[in-house]
């Protein structure tokens, strides 16, 4: 889509900038907006008991990165397929509902780790991580044999969905706006007292997830291997607690 078409799709417009000469075409864009005074949804505000949701299924950015960087055969994912939807209307609808909100531009686990730290709470994600994956990410999970799909949700390649908390007494309000917007928020888990992250019963080191690319020296093969090893550690620990874990 052209910049003008994207502007129309999001009910906004494009303001031109300076142009100059160069050997290759490079285009950078930035989106600016405003909210009513006191109407911003901040990253701070989560409380124990809040339910955690995503604005859509996750893993598209990681799926595209895997398909390109690992040269996966038969996946059929291209940059043209990576078109994160606008969540402007959803963000507006959440102003009086969400207790806190963050985007997944750096992946789900980086997002929830920041929320947990900023709010001094524990975040418990549902054990069925595969249920969070959008279709292309689910295909990559199957091709690579990634079990629950942790590497696709922990990867630094995100997809710009919203992750937000909703207090129990506002869940009916979320249902109402979801019907109006023909929207299906994805349940992720719950906010609890304590600190850190868990997938089901298994603790996950959020700081390590966020720093893993740097820890691997920026080498993509080492980074992917480290994510897969973390996933296996989670699976082993989960199986130790629950024989029914798959």
């Amino acid at each position: 889509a052209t910049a003008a078409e994207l502007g129309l799709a999001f009910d906004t417009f494009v303001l031109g900038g300076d142009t100059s000469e160069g050997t290759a075409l490079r285009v950078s864009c930035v989106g600016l907006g405003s909210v009513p005074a006191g109407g911003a949804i901040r990253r701070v505000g989560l409380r124990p008991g809040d339910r955690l949701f995503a604005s859509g299924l996750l893993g598209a950015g990681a799926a595209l990165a895997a398909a390109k960087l690992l040269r996966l055969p038969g996946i059929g994912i291209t940059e043209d397929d990576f078109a994160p939807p606008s969540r402007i209307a959803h963000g507006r609808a959440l102003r009086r509902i969400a207790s806190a909100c963050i985007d997944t531009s750096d992946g789900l686990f980086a997002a929830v780790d920041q929320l947990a730290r900023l709010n001094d709470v524990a975040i418990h994600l549902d054990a069925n991580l595969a249920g969070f994956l959008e279709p292309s990410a689910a295909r990559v999970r199957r091709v690579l044999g990634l079990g629950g799909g942790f590497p696709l949700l922990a990867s630094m390649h995100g997809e710009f969905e919203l992750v937000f908390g909703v207090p129990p007494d506002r869940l009916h309000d979320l249902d109402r706006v979801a019907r109006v917007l023909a929207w299906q928020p994805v349940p992720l888990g719950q906010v609890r007292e304590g600190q850190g992250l868990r997938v089901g019963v298994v603790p996950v080191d959020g700081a390590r997830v966020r720093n893993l690319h740097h820890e691997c020296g920026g080498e993509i093969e080492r980074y992917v291997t480290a994510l897969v090893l973390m996933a296996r550690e989670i699976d082993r620990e989960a199986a130790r607690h629950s024989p029914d874990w798959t």
Side-chain angles (χ1 to χ4, degrees):
T2 66
E5 290 169 341
L6 288 172
L8 288 173
F10 298 155
D11 193 27
T12 184
F13 48 86
V14 177
L15 296 176
D18 296 331
T19 58
S20 59
E21 296 181 358
T23 57
L25 175 64
R26 291 181 174 86
V27 179
S28 298
C29 300
V30 61
L32 301 175
S34 61
V35 296
I41 309 174
R42 303 175 61 218
R43 296 182 178 184
V44 176
L46 287 183
R47 296 290 183 269
D50 287 1
R51 293 291 300 177
L52 204 67
F53 295 86
S55 56
L57 292 170
L58 306 169
L64 173 62
K68 290 194 64 175
L69 298 174
L70 302 180
R71 298 179 176 86
L72 298 179
I75 292 296
I77 304 172
T78 69
E79 291 193 19
D80 289 339
D81 299 318
F82 183 62
S86 165
R87 294 302 187 189
I88 295 174
H90 306 81
R92 287 171 175 164
L94 290 171
R95 280 180 188 158
R96 298 184 183 278
I97 298 173
S99 53
C101 184
I102 191 171
D103 69 64
T104 63
S105 54
D106 294 323
L108 172 64
F109 276 85
V112 294
D113 181 66
Q114 289 189 61
L115 287 177
R117 292 172 185 274
L118 288 170
N119 292 279
D120 195 25
V121 294
I123 290 179
H124 290 218
L125 296 176
D126 295 340
N128 181 27
L129 295 180
F132 303 164
L133 297 176
E134 59 85 52
S136 66
R139 292 202 304 275
V140 170
R141 179 184 74 88
R142 290 192 295 270
V143 168
L144 295 179
L146 295 178
F150 170 83
L152 293 161
L153 297 168
S155 167
M156 63 181 180
H157 302 93
E159 58 285 295
F160 305 99
E161 292 289 354
L162 305 177
V163 170
F164 56 94
V166 178
D169 61 353
R170 298 181 197 163
L171 289 172
H172 64 284
D173 293 320
L174 178 62
D175 289 340
R176 175 179 50 79
V177 301
R179 288 194 299 271
V180 170
L181 294 172
W183 168 45
Q184 291 185 314
V186 179
L188 298 177
Q190 190 170 23
V191 181
R192 300 187 182 181
E193 293 185 358
Q195 295 180 326
L197 307 180
R198 287 181 180 267
V199 174
V201 298
V202 181
V204 175
D205 187 344
R208 186 181 175 211
V209 171
R210 291 170 64 186
N211 294 318
L212 195 58
H213 187 253
H214 176 73
E215 180 182 308
C216 294
E219 297 180 19
I220 192 63
E221 292 84 1
R222 287 180 59 196
Y223 178 60
V224 171
T225 299
L227 284 173
V228 171
L229 289 175
M230 284 191 74
R232 290 175 180 170
E233 291 171 8
I234 291 171
D235 288 343
R236 281 196 299 269
E237 186 67 14
R240 189 173 70 83
H241 286 277
S242 173
D244 297 328
W245 176 269
T246 56

